[in-house]
Amino acid sequence: MSFSPLIRQLIDALRILPGVGQKTAQRTALHLLERNRSGALRLAEALEQAMQGVGYCERCRSLSEQPICNLCLDPRRDDNLLCVVEGPLDVQAVEQSGYRGRYFVLRGHLSPLDGLGPESIGIPELLERLEKGAFSELILATNPTVEGEATAHYIAQLLIQKDLLISRIAHGVPLGGELELIDGSTLSHALAGRKPLNPLD
Amino acid sequence: MSFSPLIRQLIDALRILPGVGQKTAQRTALHLLERNRSGALRLAEALEQAMQGVGYCERCRSLSEQPICNLCLDPRRDDNLLCVVEGPLDVQAVEQSGYRGRYFVLRGHLSPLDGLGPESIGIPELLERLEKGAFSELILATNPTVEGEATAHYIAQLLIQKDLLISRIAHGVPLGGELELIDGSTLSHALAGRKPLNPLD
């Protein structure tokens, strides 16, 4: 026995989810059919509404339902700071740090082998955003990976002539880790970036 | 910044999928929005069609789009054998063994602590099916777990008076495994079920 056409179609469709292979798709499809049909219908509706209703903020390029997102509209944020990240989830992460400036969201990082050049990831839009704003500092918060570093350096070089402080987030040992588990490159960054410790502070 | 309402709704809806927690739901939602909107819309449609179009076969209780499933309608199958399994995926598994009789699909196994008694898992329908058919053997292929064994024994006891051969699938060492990795109970089943080996066969 093979599955009936509608179940097969559902299994195929579920495979677009990241990390879902054939077996997981089968189990998920039958789980939904047997245990949670109302949840599955809600999911179908949520998918459709989100795909049709969510676009990109014209200013920061993050996902947004309005032309300009709430974060860009918020008048209490610092208009001097612009933080560049690789994706919308990174905005969430940086927010948790207490940062309260503006953002610009790239569409990933430079990756020439995958055909992703400056235009594909939104560098022209970033330059445009810098023209329109009056920022005093640009914080490059791309991922601490080879591609993220390369993207940060590329942007820094592009803007070298501008009257703008360009900074990169610090590399070092993450809080809560154990030194013996940390790789050599991270540790050499941590040593090079060492700071005087004043016990009276 | 928190996510916009439609994205939040999508993240919540994705959490009904088995094994998907908050973080995975967030990543999945943003992945679909940024990388695969057409796939997400296809998934929405497939979910809706399957949830509305797939019901249960009146005869074997497996998932089916027609009142009677293809497997029950197939005239080439052996009408003497009825194999009882816990779910539709088990039908697929038993099919791979080359079995070509009929099936009856329970809705899981007996689990009194979860309030799943004989009625909830479809034992009355199984008895009805046995009345209507002319089976000579009932093969209990519930899972080799404590609950699956209990369910098999419960069914066997119910039918003890009937003129029907009742069998349970064999327990033993699975093919391809290594003996040192197999647990003691399985091995004791394998020893108790040992068979004479005729080198001339």
Side-chain angles (χ1 to χ4, degrees), chain B residues 123-143:
Chain B
I123 302 278
E125 288 85 353
L126 170 61
L127 299 181
E128 202 178 302
R129 177 85 182 94
L130 286 169
E131 288 299 321
K132 285 188 186 158
F135 302 104
S136 60
E137 182 173 354
L138 180 72
I139 303 171
L140 297 168
T142 50
N143 288 333

Side-chain angles (χ1 to χ4, degrees), chain A residues 21-188:
Chain A
Q22 183 65 18
K23 279 270 170 188
T24 311
Q26 282 182 11
R27 282 175 165 270
T28 303
L30 297 191
H31 169 84
L32 293 176
L33 281 164
E34 294 208 275
R35 303 281 152 89
N36 200 348
R37 292 194 181 218
S38 61
L41 287 172
R42 269 200 311 281
L43 174 57
E45 209 184 316
L47 278 166
E48 207 177 315
Q49 289 180 352
M51 297 308 137
Q52 283 162 357
V54 179
Y56 292 94
C57 170
E58 290 170 11
R59 214 171 278 172
C60 74
R61 298 271 143 193
S62 191
L63 292 166
S64 170
E65 287 164 41
Q66 287 94 37
I68 308 286
C69 75
N70 289 336
L71 213 144
C72 285
L73 289 176
D74 190 343
R76 290 163 304 174
R77 301 191 72 105
D78 187 345
D79 279 321
N80 290 307
L81 296 175
L82 186 67
C83 179
V84 176
V85 293
E86 290 188 23
L89 271 180
D90 298 334
V91 173
Q92 302 279 325
V94 175
E95 276 298 282
Q96 285 175 17
S97 75
Y99 171 82
R100 288 295 175 268
R102 304 292 178 184
Y103 288 97
F104 187 87
V105 180
L106 297 173
R107 309 196 66 177
H109 47 242
L110 291 175
S111 181
L113 288 180
D114 301 319
L116 294 177
E119 283 75 26
S120 326
I121 67 166
I123 301 281
E125 286 86 354
L126 170 60
L127 299 182
E128 203 178 301
R129 178 85 183 94
L130 285 170
E131 288 299 322
K132 284 187 187 158
F135 301 104
S136 59
E137 181 172 355
L138 180 71
I139 303 172
L140 297 168
T142 51
N143 288 333
T145 57
V146 174
E147 296 87 352
E149 296 295 340
T151 306
H153 279 96
Y154 178 85
I155 295 171
Q157 278 199 319
L158 268 188
L159 300 170
I160 207 161
Q161 305 287 352
K162 305 248 166 147
D163 179 23
L164 185 68
L165 176 62
I166 298 174
S167 59
R168 174 89 177 109
I169 49 170
H171 295 326
V173 292
L175 299 189
E178 291 190 43
L179 224 59
E180 66 181 61
L181 301 176
I182 289 168
D183 64 298
S185 331
T186 301
L187 218 46
S188 78

Side-chain angles (χ1 to χ4, degrees), chain B residues 142-154:
Chain B
T142 50
N143 288 333
T145 56
V146 174
E147 295 89 352
E149 297 294 341
T151 308
H153 278 96
Y154 178 84

